[in-house]
Amino acid sequence: MSNDSPSHSRRRVRLARGVSPWLAPTVAATAVSAVLARRSRPWVLAAAPLTALTGAMLWFFRDPDRDLGTGVVLSPADGVVQSIDPQPDGRTRVAIFMSPLNVHVNRAPLEGTVTSVRHVPGGFRPAFNKDSDQNERVVWHFETPIGELELVQIAGAVARRIVPYLGMGAKVSQGERIGLIRFGSRVDIYLPEGIAPAVSVGQRTTAGVTRIDHG
């Protein structure tokens, strides 16, 4: 198991893995404009919005350590429960909407082994759209103490890249970081048959903290 679970880390805020392609150019442009602004007043007009953008991106890509919550299944994402839908096979899908203001790093709902990680091409509709199930997504399957668990990271209108941190065969601890959706979107977790959700539509969730199962 990894030592990356909140219960084994000192509380701190780091930047999420996988943000360099977005953040590095913005930071570089901000630094250059700041230097030029000292020499030429017109550059101040460019430096100000670039500095604000860099600050916003640092906030968007924060990755705070967490104290692990209690429960068999914990939330994989920060956000708001968008829907809870019984499935024909007896499972229950809990969809969590992630806004651009949420932490974008997703976490393992419980300990287990990654049995598959599959990227599925698709569109980029808003995550609240009923057709967003056809968006670009990464489908995870875990073998866990409660059976097979499916989790889906779904890109949205703004989020254009999903960055998995783990591959097939990886052992995960509950609450361990598993991947990033840049600029938010949606994460669906499918609770196995016989496990009732403990959350309700409209409830806010915190990855690695909020209990999803009813027990």
Side-chain angles (χ1 to χ4, degrees), residues 22 82 97-100 122-137 153-162 181-186:
W22 289 61
Q82 184 180 39
F97 175 73
M98 301 167 59
S99 81
F124 294 96
R125 298 175 180 86
F128 53 79
N129 191 300
K130 66 179 181 178
D131 296 324
S132 61
D133 290 349
Q134 302 305 311
N135 281 7
E136 180 168 343
R137 57 203 181 276
Q153 295 174 295
I154 303 174
V158 176
R160 296 284 172 146
R161 182 70 189 277
I162 301 171
I181 307 180
R182 290 178 180 159
F183 295 110
S185 190
R186 202 178 96 196

Coordinates of all heavy atoms in Angstrom, one line a residue, residues 22 82 97-100 122-137 153-162 181-186:
W22 N -0.1 23.1 -17.8 CA -0.9 24.3 -17.7 C -0.3 25.4 -16.9 O -0.4 26.6 -17.3 CB -2.3 23.9 -17.0 CG -3.1 23.0 -17.9 CD1 -2.8 21.8 -18.3 CD2 -4.4 23.3 -18.3 NE1 -3.9 21.3 -19.0 CE2 -4.9 22.2 -19.1 CE3 -5.3 24.4 -18.2 CZ2 -6.1 22.1 -19.7 CZ3 -6.5 24.3 -18.8 CH2 -7.0 23.2 -19.5
Q82 N -24.8 15.2 -7.4 CA -25.7 15.6 -8.4 C -26.9 14.7 -8.6 O -28.0 15.2 -8.9 CB -24.9 15.7 -9.8 CG -25.7 16.3 -10.9 CD -24.8 16.3 -12.2 OE1 -24.0 15.4 -12.4 NE2 -25.0 17.4 -13.0
F97 N -20.7 16.2 -8.7 CA -20.3 17.3 -9.6 C -19.2 18.2 -9.0 O -19.3 18.6 -7.8 CB -21.5 18.2 -9.9 CG -21.1 19.5 -10.7 CD1 -20.8 19.4 -12.1 CD2 -21.1 20.7 -10.1 CE1 -20.5 20.5 -12.8 CE2 -20.8 21.8 -10.8 CZ -20.5 21.7 -12.2
M98 N -18.1 18.4 -9.7 CA -17.0 19.1 -9.2 C -16.9 20.5 -10.0 O -16.8 20.5 -11.2 CB -15.6 18.4 -9.5 CG -15.6 17.0 -8.9 SD -14.2 16.1 -9.5 CE -12.8 17.1 -9.1
S99 N -17.1 21.6 -9.3 CA -17.0 22.9 -9.9 C -15.5 23.3 -10.0 O -14.6 22.7 -9.3 CB -17.7 23.9 -9.0 OG -16.9 24.4 -7.9
P100 N -15.2 24.4 -10.8 CA -13.8 24.8 -10.8 C -13.2 25.3 -9.5 O -12.0 25.4 -9.4 CB -13.9 26.0 -11.8 CG -15.1 25.7 -12.7 CD -16.1 25.0 -11.7
G122 N -14.5 11.0 -26.0 CA -15.9 11.5 -26.1 C -16.0 13.0 -26.2 O -15.0 13.6 -26.5
G123 N -17.1 13.5 -25.9 CA -17.3 15.0 -26.1 C -16.9 15.7 -24.8 O -16.3 15.2 -23.9
F124 N -17.3 17.0 -24.8 CA -17.0 17.9 -23.7 C -18.2 18.7 -23.3 O -18.1 20.0 -23.3 CB -15.8 18.8 -24.0 CG -14.5 18.0 -24.2 CD1 -14.1 17.7 -25.5 CD2 -13.7 17.6 -23.1 CE1 -12.9 16.9 -25.7 CE2 -12.6 16.9 -23.3 CZ -12.2 16.6 -24.6
R125 N -19.3 18.1 -23.1 CA -20.5 18.8 -22.7 C -20.4 19.2 -21.2 O -19.7 18.6 -20.5 CB -21.7 17.9 -22.9 CG -22.0 17.5 -24.4 CD -23.1 16.5 -24.5 NE -23.4 16.1 -25.8 CZ -22.7 15.1 -26.4 NH1 -21.8 14.4 -25.8 NH2 -23.0 14.7 -27.7
P126 N -21.2 20.2 -20.8 CA -21.2 20.5 -19.4 C -21.5 19.3 -18.5 O -22.4 18.5 -18.9 CB -22.2 21.6 -19.3 CG -22.3 22.2 -20.7 CD -22.0 21.1 -21.6
A127 N -20.9 19.2 -17.4 CA -21.1 18.0 -16.5 C -22.5 17.9 -16.0 O -22.9 16.8 -15.7 CB -20.1 18.0 -15.4
F128 N -23.2 19.0 -16.0 CA -24.6 18.9 -15.5 C -25.6 18.5 -16.6 O -26.8 18.3 -16.3 CB -25.1 20.2 -14.9 CG -24.8 21.4 -15.8 CD1 -25.7 21.7 -16.8 CD2 -23.7 22.3 -15.6 CE1 -25.5 22.8 -17.6 CE2 -23.5 23.4 -16.4 CZ -24.4 23.6 -17.4
N129 N -25.1 18.4 -17.8 CA -25.9 18.0 -19.0 C -26.2 16.5 -18.9 O -25.3 15.7 -18.5 CB -25.2 18.3 -20.3 CG -26.1 18.1 -21.5 OD1 -26.6 17.1 -21.7 ND2 -26.3 19.2 -22.2
K130 N -27.4 16.1 -19.2 CA -27.8 14.7 -19.1 C -27.0 13.8 -20.0 O -26.9 12.6 -19.8 CB -29.3 14.5 -19.3 CG -29.7 14.8 -20.8 CD -31.2 14.6 -20.9 CE -31.7 14.9 -22.4 NZ -33.1 14.7 -22.6
D131 N -26.5 14.4 -21.1 CA -25.7 13.7 -22.1 C -24.2 13.6 -21.8 O -23.4 13.1 -22.5 CB -25.9 14.3 -23.5 CG -27.3 14.2 -24.0 OD1 -27.9 13.1 -23.7 OD2 -27.8 15.1 -24.7
S132 N -23.8 14.1 -20.6 CA -22.4 14.2 -20.3 C -21.8 12.8 -20.0 O -20.6 12.6 -19.9 CB -22.1 15.1 -19.0 OG -22.8 14.5 -17.9
D133 N -22.7 11.8 -19.9 CA -22.2 10.4 -19.8 C -21.4 10.0 -21.0 O -20.6 9.0 -20.9 CB -23.4 9.4 -19.6 CG -24.1 9.5 -18.3 OD1 -23.5 10.2 -17.4 OD2 -25.2 9.0 -18.1
Q134 N -21.6 10.7 -22.1 CA -20.8 10.4 -23.3 C -19.6 11.2 -23.5 O -18.9 11.2 -24.5 CB -21.8 10.6 -24.6 CG -23.0 9.7 -24.5 CD -22.7 8.3 -24.3 OE1 -21.9 7.7 -25.0 NE2 -23.4 7.6 -23.4
N135 N -19.2 12.0 -22.4 CA -18.0 12.8 -22.5 C -16.8 12.0 -22.4 O -16.8 10.8 -22.1 CB -18.0 13.8 -21.3 CG -18.9 15.0 -21.6 OD1 -19.6 15.1 -22.6 ND2 -18.8 16.0 -20.7
E136 N -15.6 12.6 -22.7 CA -14.4 11.9 -22.5 C -14.3 11.5 -21.0 O -14.6 12.3 -20.1 CB -13.2 12.8 -22.9 CG -11.9 12.2 -22.7 CD -10.7 13.0 -23.3 OE1 -11.0 13.8 -24.2 OE2 -9.6 12.7 -23.0
R137 N -13.8 10.3 -20.8 CA -13.8 9.8 -19.4 C -12.7 8.7 -19.2 O -12.2 8.2 -20.2 CB -15.1 9.3 -19.0 CG -15.6 8.2 -19.9 CD -17.2 8.1 -19.9 NE -17.7 7.0 -20.7 CZ -17.9 7.1 -22.0 NH1 -17.7 8.3 -22.6 NH2 -18.4 6.1 -22.7
Q153 N -14.2 9.0 -14.0 CA -13.8 10.4 -14.0 C -14.3 10.9 -15.4 O -13.9 10.4 -16.4 CB -12.3 10.6 -13.9 CG -11.7 10.1 -12.6 CD -10.2 10.2 -12.6 OE1 -9.6 9.5 -13.3 NE2 -9.6 11.1 -11.8
I154 N -15.1 12.0 -15.3 CA -15.7 12.5 -16.6 C -15.3 13.9 -16.8 O -15.4 14.8 -15.9 CB -17.3 12.4 -16.5 CG1 -17.7 11.0 -16.2 CG2 -17.9 12.9 -17.7 CD1 -19.2 10.9 -15.9
A155 N -14.8 14.2 -18.0 CA -14.4 15.5 -18.4 C -15.6 16.3 -18.7 O -16.7 15.8 -19.0 CB -13.5 15.5 -19.6
G156 N -15.5 17.7 -18.6 CA -16.7 18.5 -18.8 C -16.4 19.5 -19.9 O -15.5 19.4 -20.7
A157 N -17.1 20.7 -19.9 CA -16.9 21.7 -20.9 C -15.6 22.4 -20.8 O -15.0 22.9 -21.8 CB -18.1 22.7 -20.9
V158 N -15.1 22.5 -19.5 CA -13.9 23.2 -19.3 C -12.7 22.2 -19.1 O -11.7 22.4 -19.6 CB -14.0 24.1 -18.0 CG1 -12.7 24.8 -17.7 CG2 -15.1 25.2 -18.2
A159 N -13.0 21.1 -18.4 CA -12.0 20.1 -18.1 C -11.7 19.4 -19.4 O -12.6 18.8 -20.0 CB -12.4 19.2 -17.1
R160 N -10.5 19.5 -19.9 CA -10.1 18.8 -21.2 C -9.1 17.8 -21.0 O -8.5 17.3 -22.0 CB -9.6 19.9 -22.1 CG -10.7 20.9 -22.5 CD -11.7 20.3 -23.5 NE -12.8 21.2 -23.8 CZ -13.4 21.4 -24.9 NH1 -13.0 20.6 -26.0 NH2 -14.4 22.2 -25.1
R161 N -8.7 17.4 -19.8 CA -7.7 16.4 -19.6 C -7.9 15.7 -18.2 O -8.0 16.4 -17.2 CB -6.3 17.0 -19.6 CG -5.2 16.1 -19.5 CD -5.0 15.2 -20.7 NE -4.1 14.1 -20.5 CZ -2.8 14.2 -20.6 NH1 -2.2 15.4 -21.0 NH2 -2.0 13.2 -20.4
I162 N -7.9 14.4 -18.3 CA -7.9 13.6 -17.1 C -6.6 12.9 -16.9 O -6.1 12.3 -17.9 CB -9.0 12.5 -17.1 CG1 -10.4 13.2 -17.3 CG2 -9.1 11.7 -15.9 CD1 -11.5 12.2 -17.6
I181 N -8.7 15.6 -12.5 CA -9.4 16.2 -13.6 C -9.2 17.7 -13.6 O -9.5 18.4 -12.7 CB -10.9 15.9 -13.4 CG1 -11.2 14.4 -13.2 CG2 -11.7 16.4 -14.7 CD1 -12.7 14.1 -13.1
R182 N -8.5 18.1 -14.6 CA -8.2 19.5 -14.7 C -9.4 20.4 -14.8 O -10.2 20.2 -15.7 CB -7.2 19.8 -15.8 CG -5.8 19.2 -15.6 CD -4.9 19.4 -16.8 NE -3.6 18.8 -16.6 CZ -2.8 18.5 -17.5 NH1 -3.1 18.7 -18.8 NH2 -1.6 18.0 -17.2
F183 N -9.6 21.3 -13.9 CA -10.7 22.3 -13.8 C -12.0 21.6 -13.5 O -13.1 22.2 -13.9 CB -10.7 23.1 -15.1 CG -9.6 24.0 -15.3 CD1 -8.7 23.7 -16.3 CD2 -9.3 25.0 -14.5 CE1 -7.5 24.5 -16.5 CE2 -8.2 25.8 -14.6 CZ -7.3 25.6 -15.6
G184 N -12.0 20.5 -12.8 CA -13.3 19.9 -12.3 C -14.1 19.1 -13.3 O -13.6 18.8 -14.4
S185 N -15.3 18.8 -13.0 CA -16.2 18.1 -13.9 C -17.1 17.2 -13.0 O -17.8 17.7 -12.2 CB -15.6 17.4 -15.0 OG -16.6 16.9 -15.9
R186 N -17.0 15.9 -13.2 CA -17.8 15.0 -12.5 C -17.1 13.6 -12.2 O -16.3 13.2 -13.0 CB -19.1 14.7 -13.3 CG -20.3 14.2 -12.5 CD -21.5 14.0 -13.4 NE -21.7 12.7 -13.8 CZ -22.4 12.3 -14.8 NH1 -23.1 13.2 -15.5 NH2 -22.6 11.0 -15.1

